[in-house]
Amino acid sequence: MFEAETLLVFALACLALTATPGPDMLLIAARSVAQGRMAGFVTYLGVAAGSFCHALFLALGLSQLFLAVPYAYDLVRYLGAAYLMYLAWQAFTARNSFAMPQAEAQKRRLLVIFRQGFVTNLLNPKVALFFLALFPQFLDPAAGAIGLQVLVLATILNVIGLMTNGAVILLAGSLRSFATGAQAFATWSRYILGSVFCALAARLLIESER
């Protein structure tokens, strides 16, 4: 389907992109500091799931809707910013949300974290435009089904993203390990996470270039 040289170039491009600090990495790092490495890893899984959805949208041609209908881009952008502000409000107003939970509560909390990472990525129209800008350069209609090609490229992107963000999760999670049990840290980590959500919302609203 793909030549080895094509996959190598794509992988290098993905490495350069995922290693560059961005909104996803900032969110994953903040989660890891606030709630530990598992929370950071689950956040990444949610982000990766969102990326696969954007890849599906690209394969179906829906990503081009943002170029053809500017209002669609702005609508998704505003929805994404509103959702991030809602998450910020939850973080700021939560009580004891970062204490070590019981087993069932932990499972439920991880599902919430996954969903938040997924929806945050899905409601970021810049991610759709990123796929629209990068992926077509490596697609070849003569090489097979476009949908399958997009899936392969999205998988490569997410695997490389796991490696780069995995390093961030380990480093950021170690900060929490040093301060486990400190009430002051639990409080400040909540404020840090809420501030990150606010910053991502502001970035989404202000940066309207496409």
Side-chain angles (χ1 to χ4, degrees), residues 26-132:
L26 180 61
L27 176 60
I28 291 168
R31 277 291 189 192
S32 300
V33 171
Q35 294 175 281
R37 291 170 180 164
M38 179 58 71
F41 176 69
V42 172
T43 299
Y44 176 75
L45 290 181
V47 169
S51 295
F52 276 120
C53 285
H54 282 292
L56 176 61
F57 297 155
L58 174 63
L60 296 175
L62 298 180
S63 294
Q64 297 184 11
L65 179 65
F66 290 138
L67 297 178
V69 184
Y71 291 115
Y73 177 93
D74 289 332
L75 175 61
V76 175
R77 186 162 60 94
Y78 293 142
L79 287 175
Y83 181 71
L84 287 168
M85 291 303 298
Y86 168 71
L87 295 183
W89 177 80
Q90 281 192 321
F92 287 137
T93 59
R95 293 183 178 180
N96 298 324
S97 61
F98 301 116
M100 293 301 293
Q102 299 298 323
E104 291 187 5
Q106 172 75 355
K107 292 180 181 179
R108 185 164 56 251
R109 180 162 299 166
L110 291 178
L111 287 175
V112 172
I113 291 172
F114 175 88
R115 185 187 66 216
Q116 291 176 351
F118 172 74
V119 176
T120 298
N121 183 273
L122 195 63
L123 290 180
N124 187 348
K126 290 184 177 295
V127 178
L129 295 183
F130 161 76
F131 275 75
L132 188 60

Side-chain angles (χ1 to χ4, degrees), residues 16-28:
L17 290 167
T18 57
T20 302
D24 288 341
M25 183 178 289
L26 180 61
L27 176 60
I28 291 168

Side-chain angles (χ1 to χ4, degrees), residues 141-156:
I146 291 296
L148 183 57
Q149 292 184 52
V150 170
L151 177 61
V152 170
L153 295 179
T155 301
I156 293 173

